[in-house]
């Protein structure tokens, strides 16, 4: 709970400690609030309950995945601000998110170093989904044989995969007899009015919703990570996912029949 309050209000650990102790004192509750060093130590590798889907687990997920960069606060920024030293390279982490288009929930997430490619992180994302996937949407960074083989192995042959081929893509040698999904996308782009028409007909333009979720993250949670090491940063990212899902659930309308 203390770490969740810290993420929501973007507080340092010392301020989180003081806030929680003040709340306990105002409520008259005799409870020991962990100090800042204990919060930092216990957040490393903290095991959180799995993300609970609001909708039925048997309903196929319409999964759209993407990644964005989160800044890491470190000594480089302090040196640049205080001593006007130009930092050669800023440090980043990559946040990978998987969004269910039907419910608007984040159903899978991962935080990696900036040198981990999107297709490499996809395996861990798919391992977090406990139900069937009916549709998979991603940008051109996921195009490739490795991604297609992974999706076939994990999700089966019936999943609808929507990944735009690059502009220089050509059909495979067997496209006339046994076309792949990628071959069909290439042919449709060439014969059905170009890429914009293909995006509209396949539903690829719904990928903008995960971009919107990235914007919500950087507005509500923040564009940078406060934790200093990768394990604590992973915990901070997992808590951020739970916070956004909770806010989505609170703002989701509920319908009930009254007559």
């Amino acid at each position: 709970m203390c770490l969740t309050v810290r993420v929501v209000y973007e507080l340092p650990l010392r301020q989180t400690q003081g806030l929680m102790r003040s709340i306990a004192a105002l409520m008259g509750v005799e409870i020991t609030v962990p100090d800042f060093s204990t919060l930092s130590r216990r957040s490393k590798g903290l095991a959180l309950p799995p993300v609970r889907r609001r909708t039925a687990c048997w309903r196929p997920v319409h999964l759209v995945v993407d990644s964005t960069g989160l800044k890491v606060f470190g000594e480089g920024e302090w040196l640049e601000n205080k001593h006007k030293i130009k930092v050669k390279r800023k440090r980043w982490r990559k946040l990978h998110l998987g969004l269910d288009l039907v419910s608007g929930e984040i159903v899978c997430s991962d935080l990696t170093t900036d040198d981990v490619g999107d297709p490499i992180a996809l395996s861990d994302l798919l391992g977090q989904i406990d139900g069937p996937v009916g549709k998979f949407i991603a940008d051109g960074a996921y195009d490739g044989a490795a991604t297609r083989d992974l999706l076939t192995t994990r999700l089966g042959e019936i999943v609808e995969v929507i990944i735009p081929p690059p502009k220089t893509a050509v059909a495979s040698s067997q496209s006339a007899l046994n076309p792949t999904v990628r071959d069909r996308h290439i042919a449709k782009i060439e014969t059905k009015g170009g890429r914009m028409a293909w995006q509209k007909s396949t539903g690829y333009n719904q990928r903008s919703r995960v971009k919107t979720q990235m914007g919500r993250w950087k507005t509500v949670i923040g564009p940078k990570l406060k934790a200093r090491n990768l394990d604590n940063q992973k915990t901070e990212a997992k808590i951020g996912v739970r916070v956004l899902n909770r806010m989505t659930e609170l703002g989701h309308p509920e319908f009930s029949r009254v007559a």
Side-chain angles (χ1 to χ4, degrees):
M1 184 181 66
C2 292
L3 294 175
T4 301
V5 170
R6 179 206 186 195
V7 169
V8 172
Y9 294 102
E10 301 182 15
L11 300 175
L13 288 176
R14 288 178 183 269
Q15 292 184 12
T16 304
Q17 168 191 325
L19 173 63
M20 298 306 295
R21 290 183 176 179
S22 297
I23 292 175
L26 289 172
M27 296 178 63
V29 179
E30 295 184 3
I31 186 173
T32 301
V33 176
D35 56 29
F36 67 93
S37 60
T38 302
L39 292 174
S40 176
R41 184 174 63 255
R42 292 184 179 177
S43 66
K44 183 178 181 179
L46 180 66
L48 297 174
V51 177
R52 178 179 58 85
R53 288 175 58 186
R54 188 173 65 248
T55 55
C57 295
W58 53 263
R59 184 190 57 77
V61 173
H62 291 183
L63 180 65
V64 54
V65 298
D66 205 353
S67 64
T68 187
L70 296 179
K71 190 177 179 182
V72 179
F73 183 84
E75 64 177 5
E77 184 172 292
W78 181 83
L79 290 173
E80 186 174 3
N81 292 335
K82 185 173 181 62
H83 298 290
K84 308 304 178 183
I85 297 176
K86 184 65 176 178
V87 180
K88 294 183 179 179
R89 184 175 183 273
K90 295 183 181 296
R91 299 173 57 200
W92 295 84
R93 295 285 188 256
K94 287 186 73 173
L95 175 67
H96 307 265
L97 294 181
L99 181 71
D100 183 5
L101 292 176
V102 178
S103 64
E105 294 176 284
I106 301 173
V107 293
C108 56
S109 65
D110 195 12
L111 188 75
T112 64
T113 55
D114 55 359
D115 57 347
V116 176
D118 292 346
I120 297 176
L122 181 59
S123 178
D124 291 336
L125 293 179
L126 296 178
Q128 299 176 30
I129 300 176
D130 58 355
V133 177
K135 181 183 293 187
F136 177 86
I137 304 176
D139 61 15
Y142 294 85
D143 179 67
T147 300
R148 294 194 295 272
D149 294 341
L150 177 63
L151 293 174
T152 302
T153 303
R154 294 288 188 89
L155 307 179
E157 296 284 352
I158 62 173
V159 61
E160 182 182 1
V161 179
I162 304 174
I163 300 177
K167 295 181 178 180
T168 57
V170 295
S172 63
S173 58
Q174 300 180 351
S175 60
L177 299 177
N178 186 21
T180 63
V181 175
R182 188 173 187 266
D183 292 334
R184 290 194 291 269
H185 286 326
I186 294 174
K188 195 169 185 178
I189 291 174
E190 293 176 351
T191 60
K192 300 297 183 179
R195 288 184 173 269
M196 297 302 295
W198 173 84
Q199 291 182 14
K200 185 176 181 180
S201 63
T202 59
Y204 176 75
N205 49 11
Q206 295 185 65
R207 196 182 68 87
S208 61
R209 290 181 58 185
V210 75
K211 290 294 186 183
T212 303
Q213 191 70 278
M214 299 293 187
R216 288 185 62 216
W217 183 290
K218 293 188 176 183
T219 301
V220 177
I221 308 300
K224 64 172 60 176
L225 296 163
K226 290 186 174 295
R228 299 302 178 92
N229 60 70
L230 183 58
D231 290 335
N232 290 27
Q233 291 165 356
K234 285 179 176 289
T235 300
E236 185 177 342
K238 291 178 182 177
I239 294 175
V241 168
R242 301 175 71 86
V243 168
L244 286 186
N245 279 344
R246 179 60 173 163
M247 292 182 176
T248 300
E249 182 180 0
L250 292 173
H252 192 79
E254 295 185 1
F255 301 93
S256 60
R257 187 170 182 174
V258 296

